[in-house]
Amino acid sequence: MIHFQNVSKDYNNHHALTDVTFKIVPKEFVSIVGRSGAGKSTIVKLLIGEDKPTKGRVIFGHYDVGKLKSRELPRLRRHIGTVFQDFKLLPSKNVYENIAFALEVASRPEHEIYDYVMEVLDLVDLRGKVKNFMNELSGGEKQRVAIARAMVNRPDVIVADEPTGNLDPVNTMGIISLLTKINELGTTVILATHNKDIVNQLGRRVLVVEDGRLVRDEENGRYSV
Amino acid sequence: MATTLYRVIKHGFQNFWRQRLLSVATLLVILLALLVFEGLMIFNTVSNKAFDTIQDKIDVSVYFKTTAPEDDILRIKQSLEGLSEVKSVDYISRDKALDTFKAAHANDQTISQAIQQLGENPLEASLNVKAKNPSQYSVIASYLQNDSLKDLVDKVSYQQNQVVIERLAKIVNIGRQGGLALTAIFAFLAILVAFNTILLAIYSNREEVEVMRLVGASDMFIRGPYIVEGVIYGVISAVLSLAITAPLVYFVSPYLRVFIPGMDLISYFTSNIFKILGYQLLFGTIIGVVSSLIAIRRYLKT
Ligand SMILES: Nc1ncnc2c1ncn2[C@@H]1O[C@H](COP(=O)(O)OP(=O)(O)O)[C@@H](O)[C@H]1O
Ligand SMILES: [Mg+2]
């Protein structure tokens, strides 16, 4: 479903990624690990079309992501749910509206939106906070809103880039178990992180990135520095 | 499509309401710009009327020798009317001049007696010439002082009044040009300030724009609400600016009439109220919408 073919990415003569090749099949849970600056976020950005590869191809389903024009990106993004360290929620909208937004932009009918939003709110256990605004939520709650928004479109894949980077250990475990649950429900999950405890505890496939190169790709991998 | 439109409008109103402080600030600046526009519109109307009044008071008169035949005078009148600088020419015959003179001095016994004793009409026929532009009187005057007319013309009033006429002409011209320049400068400043405010307002929203893109919102879905907000700004500020100027006009109008006779600001205002409102709506929404579009463009590019 996802295929990076000999992908390189340069930022003004700086090699952020060099000749990276890997495949991800549906329903997998894959962790991308590596030190800060290794190139994890670059992989995420190339996957969601935020940046274009300097060399190689990024394939997602039937999309050749690197060749998409900017007006074609919205379609791609409705197939990918994204979760970031800094949540990226809309501060002037409440919890319900933030999640509903992902459906509204996909032109879903109003009655469907309500049902879907309530469903994911149950999944992330935030039904009690529908009307709250972002500044009234804790970090863990915000990240759950972000995950709910990523899920509500029923995407093929959820990409989480350091989703626990701003959270304490308890909330971190909460978010990781939520991602595991989502994966068990049938969605592919890609998790970029530099937190080795998480990875080791997961016991799933691990891609290790070092200095922009993919140095290991192991099922049931472990990550040690 | 209809749902998208509905959602775009909903988000536009929501943003306007939820970011009240920002909205009010933006609204005030657009309102200010519109007040400047409206002020300039009224200022131009008033000053043009004032300059027209002044200009109307300036003229040049040619007095013809009492021996000059009326036919010749009328021929000169015709040729004057053919000049491109000339707006109008009035012929005042000797008889008419006498009538006017008598009427003006009807109460003065000695003068009316003197005229009666004189037996014949001592007054000269004259042509009263008005130029289209006050700076053109010298051209007209020199035309009248031409040698070929020497036998007919007694005197041209221009010489005595030359200094005054030229000064007035200068004032009128400078006044009109200055008004135009002032209008351009103020309008430019007002637009600049309003644009800038909106650019800043949207700059403060740039992260939201990025978020919307990540969630898969099309450009139209991101831009739409800002356009709606721009329209809201335009409509509200147009109505407000009219509501603010109306009482001012009513208050100032009687005073203006003292300085500029024939200037009825209230009737100008009321008879043009829809035109003024229309302009305001147009300017307001153009400022609101165009600046939103310009600002948003920068954050939509990838
Ligand atoms: N937009 C950019 N411009 C220039 N350099 C960048 C940009 N984005 C990332 N980089 C560089 O690419 C390298 C990989 O960055 P990144 O993928 O963000 O690392 P990670 O997410 O693993 O911490 C880093 O050296 C970073 O400085
Ligand atoms: Mg990163």
Side-chain angles (χ1 to χ4, degrees):
Chain A
M1 177 177 65
I2 294 168
H3 192 180
F4 272 59
Q5 299 174 343
N6 308 98
V7 173
S8 298
K9 176 68 186 174
D10 297 344
Y11 289 112
N12 355 297
N13 298 329
H14 173 80
H15 305 299
L17 279 186
T18 312
D19 198 24
V20 170
T21 301
F22 64 86
K23 267 189 191 168
I24 295 173
V25 298
K27 299 194 183 352
E28 260 192 301
F29 192 123
V30 183
S31 302
I32 301 173
V33 300
R35 257 181 227 127
S36 175
K40 306 180 292 293
S41 296
T42 306
I43 293 179
V44 171
K45 281 189 222 157
L46 292 176
L47 179 60
I48 63 176
E50 193 57 12
D51 264 328
K52 305 214 172 307
T54 314
K55 262 191 239 146
R57 297 215 298 170
V58 176
I59 304 295
F60 176 90
H62 60 277
Y63 295 103
D64 187 340
V65 178
K67 293 212 166 62
L68 290 181
K69 299 195 180 70
S70 71
R71 83 186 139 73
E72 298 168 318
L73 283 177
R75 279 191 169 282
L76 168 78
R77 302 230 168 117
R78 289 168 206 165
H79 291 282
I80 308 177
T82 43
V83 180
F84 295 94
Q85 179 170 356
D86 56 354
F87 318 125
K88 299 207 189 293
L89 297 165
L90 299 168
S92 62
K93 303 209 181 295
N94 63 31
V95 169
Y96 180 91
E97 291 159 352
N98 260 283
I99 301 169
F101 191 81
L103 294 171
E104 290 186 337
V105 300
S107 303
R108 299 295 186 84
E110 212 70 29
H111 60 92
E112 195 181 292
I113 291 181
Y114 180 82
D115 293 343
Y116 280 32
V117 173
M118 285 307 160
E119 199 179 308
V120 286
L121 276 174
D122 281 337
L123 180 76
V124 300
D125 199 19
L126 274 178
R127 212 168 176 149
K129 306 253 173 183
V130 249
K131 290 259 162 74
N132 287 65
F133 285 87
M134 297 310 112
N135 56 2
E136 302 163 349
L137 301 178
S138 73
E141 286 168 337
K142 281 185 204 164
Q143 201 55 296
R144 270 144 62 202
V145 175
I147 291 175
R149 181 184 61 190
M151 279 300 291
V152 77
N153 245 331
R154 311 198 168 167
D156 309 314
V157 53
I158 295 268
V159 185
D161 189 2
E162 309 272 11
T164 58
N166 279 343
L167 303 179
D168 58 50
V170 176
N171 277 307
T172 296
M173 285 342 289
I175 294 299
I176 297 302
S177 68
L178 189 55
L179 288 174
T180 319
K181 189 160 123 200
I182 287 167
N183 178 243
E184 278 158 10
L185 293 173
T187 308
T188 312
V189 174
I190 300 172
L191 169 67
T193 182
H194 65 263
N195 184 329
K196 59 177 189 293
D197 295 339
I198 295 176
V199 179
N200 294 340
Q201 187 194 328
L202 275 168
R204 302 292 188 96
R205 182 179 168 198
V206 175
L207 304 179
V208 182
V209 187
E210 261 173 38
D211 275 338
R213 287 173 194 278
L214 185 61
V215 293
R216 262 183 292 152
D217 180 354
E218 302 171 340
E219 281 306 323
N220 195 357
R222 296 188 68 78
Y223 169 41
S224 47
V225 185
Chain B
M1 199 53 224
T3 6
T4 306
L5 190 66
Y6 162 75
R7 283 171 189 167
V8 160
I9 293 173
K10 183 186 77 183
H11 287 295
F13 275 93
Q14 213 174 56
N15 292 349
F16 179 82
W17 183 243
R18 298 251 172 102
Q19 305 189 329
R20 277 173 292 250
L21 208 64
L22 203 61
S23 303
V24 168
T26 314
L27 200 72
L28 281 180
V29 174
I30 297 184
L31 175 63
L32 222 60
L34 288 190
L35 283 174
V36 170
F37 277 133
E38 205 175 347
L40 290 171
M41 248 164 102
I42 291 173
F43 169 77
N44 275 323
T45 315
V46 170
S47 61
N48 274 334
K49 183 80 190 175
F51 292 136
D52 284 347
T53 320
I54 295 174
Q55 207 169 310
D56 220 44
K57 295 228 164 81
I58 307 175
D59 59 16
V60 167
S61 296
V62 232
Y63 294 92
F64 294 91
K65 293 180 176 156
T66 46
T67 53
E70 189 164 39
D71 280 354
D72 285 349
I73 297 174
L74 287 175
R75 217 178 307 119
I76 294 172
K77 175 174 187 266
Q78 235 167 26
S79 67
L80 273 171
E81 280 166 344
L83 293 179
S84 62
E85 289 91 356
V86 172
K87 191 169 109 191
S88 67
V89 185
D90 270 339
Y91 172 53
I92 295 144
S93 64
R94 297 182 59 200
D95 291 344
K96 199 172 162 205
L98 184 63
D99 288 346
T100 321
F101 187 81
K102 276 183 183 163
H105 302 281
N107 296 330
D108 196 326
Q109 284 286 324
T110 35
I111 289 184
S112 23
Q113 269 173 10
I115 288 173
Q116 240 158 19
Q117 280 163 9
L118 215 60
E120 76 173 291
N121 183 355
L123 294 179
E124 298 179 327
S126 65
L127 287 177
N128 211 312
V129 188
K130 285 207 164 94
K132 283 181 185 143
N133 187 319
S135 59
Q136 290 161 338
Y137 280 107
S138 60
V139 181
I140 295 169
S142 66
Y143 176 85
L144 291 168
Q145 282 154 355
N146 194 305
D147 277 348
S148 62
L149 300 176
K150 222 173 170 179
D151 297 337
L152 303 170
V153 171
D154 178 26
K155 64 174 192 288
V156 177
S157 71
Y158 183 69
Q159 280 114 326
Q160 301 130 35
N161 303 332
Q162 188 171 9
V163 178
V164 180
I165 290 178
E166 277 176 357
R167 192 168 294 163
L168 276 178
K170 228 177 235 157
I171 290 173
V172 169
N173 275 340
I174 289 174
R176 284 193 206 272
Q177 278 165 16
L180 223 62
L182 219 62
T183 304
I185 291 171
F186 274 108
F188 178 73
L189 284 180
I191 290 177
L192 205 69
V193 171
F195 263 53
N196 227 32
T197 309
I198 294 177
L199 290 183
L200 283 176
I202 289 182
Y203 180 74
S204 73
N205 272 337
R206 70 198 178 286
E207 278 168 12
E208 298 211 18
V209 172
E210 190 206 333
V211 172
M212 293 182 213
R213 285 183 45 226
L214 280 173
V215 179
S218 61
D219 284 2
M220 202 48 231
F221 209 98
I222 297 172
R223 251 189 220 130
Y226 288 99
I227 297 178
V228 172
E229 269 191 272
V231 174
I232 300 176
Y233 292 145
V235 172
I236 296 183
S237 48
V239 172
L240 278 182
S241 99
L242 209 62
I244 291 172
T245 18
L248 281 178
V249 164
Y250 275 83
F251 182 74
V252 169
S253 185
Y255 294 95
L256 263 181
R257 205 179 309 191
V258 175
F259 293 108
I260 309 161
M263 175 80 242
D264 188 354
L265 196 56
I266 293 177
S267 78
Y268 162 77
F269 192 74
T270 42
S271 61
N272 287 296
I273 193 138
F274 288 108
K275 202 176 94 187
I276 296 175
L277 182 65
Y279 273 129
Q280 305 275 54
L281 284 173
L282 198 71
F283 282 140
T285 36
I286 284 179
I287 294 177
V289 170
V290 172
S291 48
S292 303
L293 287 180
I294 293 173
I296 272 295
R297 243 172 75 96
R298 307 191 31 207
Y299 306 116
L300 283 179
K301 271 191 203 146
T302 25

